[in-house]
Structures are given as structure tokens and as C-alpha cells.
Amino acid sequence: MKRTVTHLADGRELIYFDERDDASRDAVDQRELPPPPPASEMRHDPILDEWVAIAAHRQSRTFLPPSDQCPLCPSTPEWQSEIPAAEYDVVVFENRFPSFSHRVGPAQGDILPGLVPTRPATGRCEVVCFTSDHNASFASLSPARVRTVMEAWADRTADLSTRDDIEQVFCFENRGEEIGVTLFHPHGQIYAYPFVTPRTRRMLQSAREHRGPGNLFADVLAAERADGTRIVGGNAHWTAFVPATARWPFEIHLYPNRQVPDIPALSTEERDAFGPLYLEVLRRLDGMFGLAMPYIAAWHQAPVRVGRDLAYLHLQLFSTRRAPGKLKALAGSESGMGVFVNDVRPEQAASMLREVVL
């Protein structure tokens, strides 16, 4: 894989990940762009002990543009996009409308002094373009391309983890207008947070308090493999299963069979084996109702500095669709109290996924 670093017209970093060593990446961004916005602010909620980012500039971000004005397609003489090159394999670049950024502006005073501290929302937000093909999807990628994407995830996780203002790196993909995507081009994002996220803190606390024979995540994986009822697929290095406590109608977790803290810690063999299984799972998901399923794919990685011995890298994939024409909405119990009510039994979901003809 060839890695080439360049910069866009406003100074944001862009990195090409190429599958060919002879790829030329000398195209220059010809646009006239304003400077990137300064970092947003974040406020600490004393009641929930959580940080909330306030990023008002994101109101002006690009929203569902026509395909001939897609900012993630390669540039053409008629349209200059975020990627100057006329073609590409995988590209990562700084988000033009970031929720977190290292470009810190003037200090803000605390909101409700003594109760709600305010800080710059330092960190970094990046966009990961999986392919130059606007009409593709992750499920349509080749295993070789998924391997390139994994190298990009590993590269960015390792690089961002060296920065003093980063505490956790989150790689994810939102797919489908029902999920809330604002760009249809197949892409994901990377959020590098200046704190450990609430969900990760809670998972690590559970792992710390676990009374089982080994690591909490490893024990759950071993129990699911032994039971087998909710297994969707697997190979020598990975297992895909619907968790017994699935919150979403169709939710699949992909675990490496060996405990590792993050994507950079995966071996060559584990990185090679991920793509074929993940593509199978995505195609089963799309085959459920014969339509493209909306989903979120979220990598749970260890924080940069704490809890790395307790964490267990895994991918959580879930869809909001519970039936053709019906979506799972986060209504009163979920949104108000954080108590999920699932409309589909996890065992039934796993059986339905296994029965999809590929």
C-alpha cells in the first residue's frame, strides 16, 4: 500500500491510501476556500457526568447534494470536490465541518460557573472515502479494498493516538438516509475525542467489576460461541453474532477471536480475515428484505491511555429497520430513560440472517 500526504486549499490534511505503488498524487486543490473553523466548545454536564459538544458551524454543512456535486467524488474539470485527484482507492481527509478540531480559538468563559465547565472541543474529525465509485456501497467492495480500508483505519488510529489532546479514537460508518446521512457517497468517519466516551467508560467499568473467569468481553464471546444459537458467521480469526441482549432489531457484533485493544493491534492474518466475513454479514443484512438496509457500523476500540488491558476490540453493526417499511424509533423509553425495547428476538434475528441466500 502506498500512503501519500497532501493538503487541501484551506490547509486541511488529505491522505491517499493506494493499492498501486505507481499512483500519482500530484493533483492540486484549485478551489478558493475560507479558513477552517476554530474548534467548537464542549460543556460538561454535571448531572450525567458527560461532555456535550456545541458545534453551531455544522448547521451549514453540505446536505444531500445532487450526484454531480458530490464533494466526495473525484474532481473533474467541471467540478472540484474535496479530493483533487481524478480517481482514488481510499482517501482520508480532515472534515470541513468538524465537531472536534485542533484549531483552538479564543477561550470561552464557563457556563454556570462552578457547575458547567466549558472547554475547547479539541480533537479531530476525519472523513474516510471507501471508493471513488459514487454508486457503490461497503457491501459491494472487494475483500482487497476492505483490507485497504482497514489499513487506513489502523494508520489513523495509531497516528491520532500519539496526540496529547486525544483520549479515544472512534471509526464508524453511517449508511442510509434513514440513519441521517447527509452524503450518499460510500464513506465513513473518524472522531478523535479529547475524553473517553460515556459508553466506553461504562463498558470498562463493567469489565473491571466482572466476576467471571476471565475478561468480560472474552467470556461473552466464548459463551456465544458455545451456545451457537445467535452465531451468524465466522472464520479462524473472527466471530459474528447477534448479542443475547441486542437493543436493535438487527444487531450483529464482530469480535476477533483473540483479545486485542484496537485495530492497529490486529495481526496481518486477522486483518486479512476480517473483510470476507464482514462483507458476508453486510450482504446478509441487505438480503433480509431485498433492499439496502440503513445501518451504523461502530468500532469499539480501547481508549488511548486507560483501560487498555480490559478493552476488547469489536465492531457493532446495527440497523434501525425492523420490517419492510417499518423503522425502529427511539421513542420515550429509549430516548427519555435509556431503556431499549427490542421488537425482534435476538434468536429470531440471527436465524433470519443465517437463512438469507447469498
Side-chain angles (χ1 to χ4, degrees):
M1 186 193 70
K2 181 180 180 181
R3 180 182 187 275
T4 306
V5 180
T6 184
H7 291 83
L8 298 173
D10 56 4
R12 288 176 293 129
E13 189 175 44
L14 180 146
I15 308 170
Y16 293 99
F17 294 88
D18 285 300
E19 296 158 2
R20 310 182 323 276
D21 290 337
D22 62 348
S24 176
R25 297 305 177 200
D26 54 3
V28 176
D29 185 4
Q30 304 289 344
R31 298 171 298 171
E32 293 186 5
L33 298 175
S40 310
E41 68 179 47
M42 59 185 193
R43 303 175 181 180
H44 187 262
D45 181 344
I47 295 175
L48 292 179
D49 186 23
E50 296 177 1
W51 287 99
V52 177
I54 311 296
H57 66 273
R58 284 176 52 79
Q59 281 278 45
S60 62
R61 67 187 184 274
T62 308
F63 182 78
L64 300 179
S67 59
D68 61 352
Q69 297 176 32
C70 174
L72 307 185
C73 283
S75 288
T76 67
E78 296 77 26
W79 171 249
Q80 298 294 299
S81 74
E82 290 279 71
I83 296 97
E87 51 76 32
Y88 64 83
D89 292 336
V90 174
V91 169
V92 178
F93 62 89
E94 287 185 70
N95 197 320
R96 188 176 175 184
F97 305 95
S99 301
F100 300 89
S101 172
H102 62 279
R103 297 178 173 87
V104 178
Q108 302 291 322
D110 284 353
I111 305 295
L112 301 181
L115 283 176
V116 182
T118 300
R119 301 286 184 270
T122 57
R124 179 141 152 158
C125 290
E126 299 180 341
V127 177
V128 185
C129 298
F130 305 137
T131 171
S132 60
D133 183 355
H134 182 84
N135 297 312
S137 67
F138 204 110
S140 70
L141 301 180
S142 68
R145 176 55 53 82
V146 176
R147 186 69 165 79
T148 306
V149 173
M150 286 209 79
E151 289 304 306
W153 284 333
D155 176 280
R156 303 313 305 139
T157 298
D159 178 51
L160 293 167
S161 296
T162 66
R163 307 187 182 201
D164 293 339
D165 60 342
I166 303 303
E167 295 296 333
Q168 185 174 352
V169 180
F170 175 44
C171 306
F172 64 100
E173 179 194 2
N174 298 331
R175 192 260 192 125
E177 194 170 355
E178 302 95 328
I179 288 293
V181 299
T182 57
L183 298 173
F184 289 127
H185 194 106
H187 72 288
Q189 299 182 64
I190 299 174
Y191 272 36
Y193 299 104
F195 50 79
V196 178
T197 62
R199 178 149 191 171
T200 299
R201 281 194 292 145
R202 185 170 181 180
M203 289 195 298
L204 292 177
Q205 183 62 29
S206 296
R208 194 171 292 112
E209 297 172 354
H210 179 52
R211 297 292 184 261
N215 174 273
L216 171 62
F217 301 96
D219 286 354
V220 168
L221 174 61
E224 289 286 6
R225 285 167 58 91
D227 179 272
T229 306
R230 290 168 295 277
I231 299 295
V232 176
N235 56 37
H237 297 285
W238 293 84
T239 300
F241 63 94
V242 176
T245 55
R247 287 159 169 75
W248 300 92
F250 296 97
E251 178 177 348
I252 307 102
H253 292 191
L254 283 84
Y255 274 60
N257 294 336
R258 178 178 68 98
Q259 183 185 356
V260 296
D262 52 24
I263 297 172
L266 292 170
S267 68
T268 299
E269 294 75 18
E270 288 164 335
R271 297 184 192 195
D272 288 341
F274 171 76
L277 177 61
Y278 185 45
L279 292 174
E280 175 190 328
V281 169
L282 288 177
R283 290 164 186 164
R284 289 188 182 280
L285 196 63
D286 279 350
M288 287 290 301
F289 305 122
L291 48 79
M293 290 281 268
Y295 66 73
I296 293 174
W299 279 107
H300 293 274
Q301 303 196 87
V304 173
R305 297 174 181 86
V306 298
R308 294 183 63 81
D309 59 323
L310 297 170
Y312 196 125
L313 171 73
H314 61 282
L315 178 68
Q316 178 192 19
L317 172 70
F318 61 91
S319 177
T320 55
R321 188 175 299 285
R322 58 186 175 88
K326 298 178 180 179
L327 298 178
K328 166 67 177 177
L330 295 189
S333 185
E334 291 89 355
S335 296
M337 287 290 106
V339 178
F340 276 72
V341 180
N342 194 349
D343 303 295
V344 181
R345 287 181 60 84
E347 296 75 20
Q348 178 191 7
S351 176
M352 293 172 68
L353 286 162
R354 288 194 300 266
E355 291 171 1
V356 171
V357 178
L358 299 178

